[in-house]
Amino acid sequence: GNSVTQMEGPVTLSEEAFLTINCTYTATGYPSLFWYVQYPGEGLQLLLKATKADDKGSNKGFEATYRKETTSFHLEKGSVQVSDSAVYFCALSASGNTPLVFGKGTRLSVIA
Amino acid sequence: GAVVSQHPSWVICKSGTSVKIECRSLDFQATTMFWYRQFPKQSLMLMATSNEGSKATYEQGVEKDKFLINHASLTLSTLTVTSAHPEDSSFYICSAQNRLAGDGEQFFGPGTRLTVL
C-alpha cells in the first residue's frame, strides 16, 4: 500500500540555521505530494505541494522538490526563524478523492 | 483561499452525553470530507471518509455507532460522539476536498478539542 516515511524528531535548531526534513514515499502510480504544518493547538495548514515529478513547491522560504527517481520530497529552508517552530507533516494523495496518507510528523523547535 | 471551519473549537462534557461537531467548507463545495483524531504529539488518525449524500466509510477499528457522521450537503459534515467517555477525549480535525480540484489537496479545519469528564 501507499506510505510516507519522514525523519523522526524532535529537531532543534538555532535561529537562521538550515533546515532539512527528509520524506520518502511508497506509492503506485503518480501521487501528489504535500507538506502540511501544524502550529500548537491548531489544525493543519498546507505549506506547499507538488503534483508531478520534478515539480518544486515553495512557500514562505520553504521548498521541496518531487523526486521520482528517489521517491523523495524533502523539505528545506535556508534560514529558520523562531516562528517556524511547529510540527511538519509530509503527505501523499494517490488520487483525487482518496484520503491523504500522512507521515508521523516531525516536531521542529527553533531557539533564538 | 479555501476555508474550513469547525464548531465548537473546544467542548467539555460529562460522561454519557453526546457531542456534535460541525465541519463547514465556507467558500467551496466539498464532495468529500474526512474526519481525523489526533492524540498528543502524534500524527493524525483517519477515522472516516464522508461523501455528500451517502454513508460514511469508516476505518478499521472505528465504531460507526459511536462516531456518527452525516454529510447532508456539499458544505457541511457533522461528527457526533455518542455516549462519550473519558477515553474519547481527543483533538478532532476535519478536512475537505474541493470537488473541482483533482490533486487531492485537503483543507483542514482548526480542530475541536473534546474533553469528557
Side-chain angles (χ1 to χ4, degrees):
Chain A
N2 300 328
S3 66
V4 173
T5 303
Q6 61 182 104
M7 62 187 287
E8 303 241 350
V11 174
T12 303
L13 295 174
S14 297
E15 208 166 21
E16 299 184 3
F18 184 85
L19 168 71
T20 300
I21 301 178
N22 289 337
C23 172
T24 57
Y25 68 90
T26 302
T28 54
Y30 303 93
S32 295
L33 301 173
F34 305 85
W35 276 101
Y36 283 86
V37 58
Q38 184 178 31
Y39 297 101
E42 299 182 12
L44 275 66
Q45 302 174 26
L46 178 68
L47 183 57
L48 52 84
K49 67 179 179 181
T51 58
K52 61 182 188 296
D54 299 325
D55 269 1
K56 177 187 283 188
S58 60
N59 185 28
K60 299 181 182 179
F62 291 88
E63 293 184 342
T65 301
Y66 189 147
R67 300 286 188 200
K68 194 173 190 314
E69 64 275 15
T70 54
T71 61
S72 65
F73 193 53
H74 304 321
L75 182 68
E76 296 182 336
K77 186 174 184 181
S79 176
V80 294
Q81 305 301 312
V82 173
S83 56
D84 294 326
S85 298
V87 180
Y88 293 82
F89 292 94
C90 185
L92 71 82
S93 172
S95 65
N97 289 323
T98 57
L100 289 173
V101 176
F102 284 95
K104 292 187 176 181
T106 302
R107 183 175 301 275
L108 170 67
S109 295
V110 180
I111 53 177
Chain B
V3 178
V4 175
S5 70
Q6 268 183 254
H7 178 79
S9 55
W10 60 270
V11 56
I12 301 173
C13 69
K14 293 181 178 180
S15 187
T17 60
S18 294
V19 174
K20 179 184 283 189
I21 302 171
E22 292 187 348
C23 177
R24 293 181 184 273
S25 57
L26 299 185
D27 51 3
F28 67 99
Q29 293 184 326
T31 330
T32 306
M33 289 184 170
F34 304 91
W35 286 96
Y36 297 85
R37 185 173 179 176
Q38 186 179 34
F39 292 102
K41 297 188 178 182
Q42 293 189 24
S43 188
L44 282 71
M45 182 191 80
L46 178 67
M47 299 175 66
T49 301
S50 170
N51 291 298
E52 185 264 338
S54 62
K55 290 184 179 180
T57 301
Y58 290 81
E59 295 299 300
Q60 192 171 8
V62 178
E63 299 176 58
K64 61 181 180 182
D65 294 331
K66 180 166 188 61
F67 298 100
L68 300 178
I69 292 172
N70 183 280
H71 192 164
S73 77
L74 285 171
T75 59
L76 173 65
S77 177
T78 60
L79 167 67
T80 302
V81 183
T82 62
S83 186
H85 291 284
E87 58 266 29
D88 299 323
S89 299
S90 192
F91 193 51
Y92 292 88
I93 305 175
C94 72
S95 69
Q97 282 184 332
N98 189 328
R99 67 185 304 187
L100 299 179
D103 62 6
E105 180 180 348
Q106 292 181 22
F107 301 93
F108 286 82
T112 297
R113 184 162 302 283
L114 170 63
T115 301
V116 184
L117 303 176

